[in-house]
Amino acid sequence: MTARVLFSAHERHFETWADALLESIRDRGINVELDFRCADPARYDYVVYSPDSELTDFSRFVNLKAVLSLWAGVETLAGNETIGCPIARMVDPKMIEGMTEWVTCQVLRYHLNFDLFLAAKPGEWLNHMGPPLARDRTVAILGLGQMGQACAGTLAALNFRVVGWSRTAKNIDGITCLSGDAGLDSAVSEAEILVILLPHTAATDSMFNSTLFRKCRRGAVLINSGRGALIDDDDLVSALDDGTLAHATLDVFREEPLPVTHPFWHHPKVSVWPHISSDSRASTASAVIAENIHRGETGKPLLHLVDRLRGY
């Protein structure tokens, strides 16, 4: 069997991914033709897709068996009405590992008051400012997909009291799991550290706004490595200005790169990160894509399918 695959992404990604993809697909006994530039949309069985691709109209790809995302976020695909085949998101174990490390680092930064001690002036001996134990600190993980569950488990293993929230009910050992509107209110009112790992959908757009911030525990800190559009930027600045929130660490934004004129760059209570909390790793993510191509070629159900109605 031969699978014809279009790699639709920025050229720099092709240079990184091509060899790993070809090897992973061939390891599953499939002949593969991998193209970077599209001459005839009708010839392709699969499109491997990155959001920085220029491809938006899939209507001429009449023989597609699946669109396979390179990244976890699929909002640019889920709402694309020209896609008439299944869409699979990326669930890469190394991406999850990287996100867990980044989130854990940011939580510990706040928990141990790193910023306070790094900003201390010469002679300012703050030995009365030691942190509590992790067991006395509540962290809310907002979004309990694979990444959220991994982060929650790692923080719980460090003895933090972890509260997890998702739109639908979940049951995870060692984690207090909440759901629905009432569960969200409870989670944000309890936690001193809020970690956002939700997808961007119509239901989550701007959900972190003044209404929700008013329900937060006063002086809580916010970490967002989910999607930038989850936050109302103006409302976040207001919540920081009036002390509702003490600080925000943001790795994702509505517009990227974040424009130099944006208030986040200049706000003393905002830490800006350039969307580097985690990334797909070609070595492991190629195996995920190759497995789905093998499944598509052998009539098996694809992994990590997107629910078009839910948006992820």
Side-chain angles (χ1 to χ4, degrees), residues 4 12 38 71 80 146 148 150 160 165 168 172 207 211 292:
R4 296 175 177 85
R12 68 178 183 275
C38 176
W71 317 122
N80 190 327
Q146 285 90 345
F160 286 100
W165 180 84
T168 56
I172 305 169
M207 68 178 284
T211 300
N292 262 341

Side-chain angles (χ1 to χ4, degrees), residues 43-273:
R43 77 183 299 270
Y44 295 108
D45 303 302
Y46 304 92
V47 170
V48 175
Y49 181 86
S50 169
D52 59 13
S53 166
E54 296 180 356
L55 175 59
T56 57
D57 184 359
F58 289 78
S59 59
R60 295 175 60 205
F61 290 80
V62 294
N63 294 309
L64 278 188
K65 299 175 183 177
V67 176
L68 309 172
S69 178
L70 281 179
W71 317 122
V74 291
E75 57 267 25
T76 57
L77 293 173
N80 190 327
E81 295 181 357
T82 69
I83 300 176
C85 62
I87 303 168
R89 56 193 171 83
M90 174 55 64
V91 179
D92 173 17
K94 284 190 177 179
M95 180 192 289
I96 295 171
E97 186 177 339
M99 181 65 77
T100 302
E101 292 177 2
W102 189 87
V103 166
T104 302
C105 174
Q106 299 298 339
V107 169
L108 287 172
R109 166 193 168 194
Y110 285 125
H111 171 61
L112 297 173
N113 253 333
F114 281 176
D115 291 5
L116 174 70
F117 295 107
L118 289 172
K121 299 173 183 177
E124 194 174 8
W125 195 249
L126 303 175
N127 65 343
H128 62 291
M129 298 293 291
L133 292 173
R135 69 175 70 249
D136 299 319
R137 182 89 73 186
T138 300
V139 180
I141 303 294
L142 307 171
L144 291 174
Q146 285 90 345
M147 288 188 186
Q149 291 185 38
C151 292
T154 295
L155 292 169
L158 290 173
N159 257 5
F160 286 100
R161 178 177 180 265
V162 180
V163 176
W165 180 84
S166 54
R167 299 201 71 83
T168 56
K170 294 191 176 180
N171 185 15
I172 305 169
D173 288 345
I175 309 299
T176 300
C177 293
L178 304 173
S179 61
D181 293 341
L184 180 60
D185 291 350
S186 178
V188 302
S189 67
E190 292 180 42
E192 297 169 77
I193 302 174
L194 306 170
V195 179
I196 305 174
L197 286 166
L198 289 160
H200 178 218
T201 67
T204 61
D205 190 274
S206 297
M207 68 178 284
F208 292 88
N209 54 36
S210 58
T211 300
L212 187 60
F213 292 145
R214 283 193 294 269
K215 299 174 182 178
C216 290
R217 179 169 176 160
R218 187 166 183 82
V221 296
L222 184 73
I223 300 167
N224 185 19
S225 52
R227 283 291 179 265
L230 302 175
I231 291 176
D232 184 301
D233 293 0
D234 293 338
D235 286 359
L236 175 57
V237 169
S238 295
L240 292 166
D241 286 344
D242 67 20
T244 299
L245 298 176
H247 203 275
T249 287
L250 309 173
D251 185 56
V252 286
F253 306 92
R254 289 180 179 271
E255 182 180 353
E256 297 183 4
L258 185 67
V260 68
T261 56
H262 196 286
F264 287 160
W265 279 117
H266 312 285
H267 201 290
K269 294 182 179 179
V270 176
S271 297
V272 172
W273 289 70

